[in-house]
Amino acid sequence: MQRLEALWKLVSVAAAVRDVALESRRLEFVAAAGSTFYLHAEHARVTVARWPQRRILLEAALQAGFGWRMQAEQDEAGVYVVAKRRTLVGNLSRAQFRVLLPDDVYAVLKLAAGSLELEDVDGTLHLPPAAAGPLTLRAAAE
């Protein structure tokens, strides 16, 4: 019984530390018509949605935020965001990104060991066989 209580306390402490280590970031950029949004992320869940506003919004939830290196830049061509896990301590880290893009912004997503969710999709999505090499998605005009 004492072991069970000690184990329960250990689990409770670990959960509390995990929750404290959750870091949120919000990046917002004014988007010119026809610009590009580029995201390079590792070990992350990425959700992309379109919206009618003239800005790009990226909301990041970084678990064990100390394990991440994140850099963002903007120039006349677009917005560039890179989020990579740090060596060693990054193995404890996970991330979720929610990206809201204007309808006329071109998106390039380079994901490593990640997942992608597209909201409100209209059109055809082509997924090549795995034997064809790395997964490359291109939207086909209908």
Side-chain angles (χ1 to χ4, degrees):
M1 188 64 157
Q2 289 177 341
R3 285 187 181 179
L4 183 59
E5 288 177 13
L7 182 61
W8 183 251
K9 287 179 184 178
L10 182 62
V11 169
S12 296
V13 168
V17 169
R18 182 200 67 218
D19 292 342
V20 168
L22 187 62
E23 180 182 331
S24 295
R25 295 187 190 175
R26 181 182 169 106
L27 304 174
E28 201 168 327
F29 305 92
V30 174
S35 62
T36 297
F37 173 77
Y38 174 85
L39 174 65
H40 181 173
E42 299 177 339
H43 299 276
R45 176 182 294 155
V46 178
T47 301
V48 178
R50 297 289 183 169
W51 70 339
Q53 297 191 30
R54 290 288 348 135
R55 56 195 173 98
I56 295 170
L57 177 65
L58 182 135
E59 297 173 328
L62 307 174
Q63 186 176 27
F66 56 83
W68 286 92
R69 290 178 294 138
M70 191 167 157
Q71 185 70 35
E73 292 185 18
Q74 182 175 20
D75 64 16
E76 62 279 349
V79 174
Y80 313 92
V81 179
V82 177
K84 292 188 172 188
R85 295 191 316 177
R86 294 184 185 277
T87 307
L88 299 178
V89 296
N91 289 336
L92 303 172
S93 304
R94 299 284 179 267
Q96 292 185 10
F97 297 101
R98 178 165 171 75
V99 181
L100 298 173
L101 300 171
D103 292 332
D104 59 355
V105 167
Y106 184 79
V108 177
L109 306 171
K110 182 177 181 181
L111 306 178
S115 65
L116 176 62
E117 179 181 348
L118 303 173
E119 293 183 356
D120 299 321
V121 175
D122 288 322
T124 304
L125 196 60
H126 297 267
L127 300 175
L135 180 62
T136 302
L137 301 177
R138 297 187 187 278
E142 294 287 330

